[in-house]
Amino acid sequence: MKHYLQFNDLDANEYAYLFERAALIKKKFKSYEKHHPLVDRTLAMIFEKASTRTRVSFEAGMYQLGGSVVHLTTGDSQLGRAEPIEDSAKVISRMVDLVMIRTFEQTKIERFAEHSRVPVINGLTNEFHPCQILADIFTFLEHRGMDSQGKPDLACLAGKTVAWVGDGNNMANTWLQAAELLDFKVHVSTPRGYEIDEKMAVGAGGTSAGSYQFFSNPLDACKDADLVTTDVWTSMGYEAENEARKKAFADWCVDPEMMAAARPDALFMHCLPAHRGEEVTAEVIDGPQSVVWEEAENRMHVQKALMEYLLLGRIA
């Protein structure tokens, strides 16, 4: 049994398989071809943080795989409230086949997984957002990394550069894990005081030479990048810091000048929701280099491949 709590819970070979399966599953979806490998399987979704894309992508995806869904919020469940997380995990995992949790501290999902009888998926925590980066990389491969047979080719990532502009948050942490695992580079630019905690992001071993570089100037981070990406300046749970963050991040708005510093065919991504005029200008997110809508849709396709893999393993 495998859990998916951080991006580095799987290896490069497993990701190559997942991206190939996601491409096949997406093709079937677009052709209105039924794909029901998870008939009679049930996904429990537990939300301590509200969500649009996470709920729709997991719920619609599970139904499309032939399964069913139980949706729980903090008010609907006893998770960490009147019942220990460990007890909730033991009970819920006896009644369903798969659990997705979107919560605050990473330790909560780790405690749940430790006592679960079924695979647990991280739908987002303060520290990591692996399903989003899974979708982002798949989206990049669709646009810049397909082989001669029309299949995603992980080898195309080698030597590529992702520019992360903004907060050193769960998305940035997960990009560092992905770069270390899949052999590409991340250029990070954050305001002082909002840097990435590299040891927490990647682990005690840190990153290998060349996989991660910090830039105090966001324009320098975007130079020759193949992908420029960002997130809101104030993530859920940090609303009290909103005004201070707006001041600190004022120079970290992805604009046409930053995109011009990147490679001519560079893509722009954002995990959404976006605040035009703050972390990105309307010209960029609504412009020709933006692939944010495909990126959002691909959450569903890659998560379908992930759920299938966690429950059934590799399908020949």
Side-chain angles (χ1 to χ4, degrees):
M1 184 181 70
K2 285 181 176 289
H3 300 299
Y4 192 59
L5 310 185
Q6 300 183 29
F7 195 88
N8 59 15
D9 281 341
L10 302 180
D11 62 30
N13 288 331
E14 289 173 302
Y15 279 114
Y17 170 80
L18 280 182
F19 291 133
E20 186 171 335
R21 288 299 294 177
L24 175 64
I25 289 169
K26 183 175 181 178
K27 183 178 180 181
K28 288 185 176 185
F29 173 79
K30 295 295 185 181
S31 302
Y32 297 95
E33 182 181 345
K34 285 185 178 180
H35 182 67
H36 288 172
L38 300 186
V39 172
D40 293 332
R41 302 295 183 97
T42 302
L43 166 70
M45 303 191 304
I46 303 173
F47 289 92
E48 290 198 303
K49 282 190 175 184
S51 169
T52 299
R53 276 152 294 277
T54 298
R55 178 174 179 180
V56 174
S57 59
F58 270 106
E59 189 162 342
M62 189 61 174
Y63 284 130
Q64 290 166 20
L65 292 173
S68 58
V69 177
V70 176
H71 176 260
L72 298 169
T73 64
T74 305
D76 300 323
S77 69
Q78 299 290 330
L79 186 66
R81 183 162 53 93
E83 182 176 57
I85 291 173
E86 293 80 0
D87 291 358
S88 293
K90 291 173 184 176
V91 172
I92 293 170
S93 67
R94 284 175 176 266
M95 300 178 181
V96 302
D97 303 282
L98 190 63
V99 178
M100 184 282 296
I101 302 176
R102 183 178 169 98
T103 187
F104 292 88
E105 299 86 0
Q106 181 75 11
T107 53
K108 278 191 173 183
I109 198 169
E110 290 172 352
R111 288 168 59 194
F112 191 103
E114 186 179 353
H115 295 273
S116 174
R117 296 159 61 105
V118 301
V120 176
I121 297 172
N122 182 351
L124 174 142
T125 61
N126 289 346
E127 292 84 2
F128 300 106
H129 200 357
C131 289
Q132 183 63 58
I133 302 303
L134 189 65
D136 292 359
I137 293 174
F138 178 68
T139 304
F140 184 85
L141 291 173
E142 278 191 316
H143 285 267
R144 300 288 184 264
M146 304 298 277
D147 66 17
S148 59
Q149 296 179 313
K151 296 180 180 179
D153 182 7
L154 269 185
C156 294
L157 293 177
K160 294 292 190 293
T161 299
V162 174
W164 176 263
V165 177
D167 192 15
N169 62 7
N170 52 6
M171 286 287 292
N173 291 338
T174 311
W175 272 117
L176 257 63
Q177 290 193 349
E180 182 72 9
L181 192 63
L182 301 180
D183 194 30
F184 60 89
K185 296 180 290 185
V186 180
H187 287 178
V188 174
S189 183
T190 68
R192 185 178 299 275
Y194 297 93
E195 298 89 352
I196 292 175
D197 181 344
E198 181 185 319
K199 187 171 290 187
M200 185 276 294
V202 182
T207 58
S208 59
S211 67
Y212 160 58
Q213 188 174 356
F214 178 79
F215 294 83
S216 57
N217 186 331
L219 189 63
D220 293 337
C222 294
K223 186 177 180 182
D224 294 328
D226 300 279
L227 168 64
V228 178
T229 183
T230 189
D231 192 6
V232 295
W233 291 340
T234 307
S235 298
M236 195 177 299
Y238 297 90
E239 289 83 0
E241 303 175 10
N242 190 46
E243 291 308 312
R245 283 172 173 265
K246 281 185 177 181
K247 292 178 181 178
F249 285 82
D251 294 330
W252 274 262
C253 176
V254 178
D255 58 18
E257 184 181 7
M258 292 186 194
M259 293 304 300
R263 293 187 182 276
D265 64 345
L267 302 175
F268 172 77
M269 292 188 193
H270 190 305
C271 59
L272 303 177
H275 300 136
R276 290 167 175 79
E278 289 188 13
E279 72 274 6
V280 61
T281 66
E283 295 168 271
V284 171
I285 194 170
D286 298 318
Q289 291 172 280
S290 173
V291 291
V292 297
W293 315 120
E294 297 98 316
E295 177 190 5
E297 177 190 338
N298 281 337
R299 281 285 302 276
M300 182 175 71
H301 302 303
V302 296
Q303 288 164 187
K304 286 164 73 174
L306 175 65
M307 290 189 289
E308 180 190 76
Y309 176 63
L310 293 177
L311 288 177
L312 304 180
R314 290 177 182 257
I315 298 174

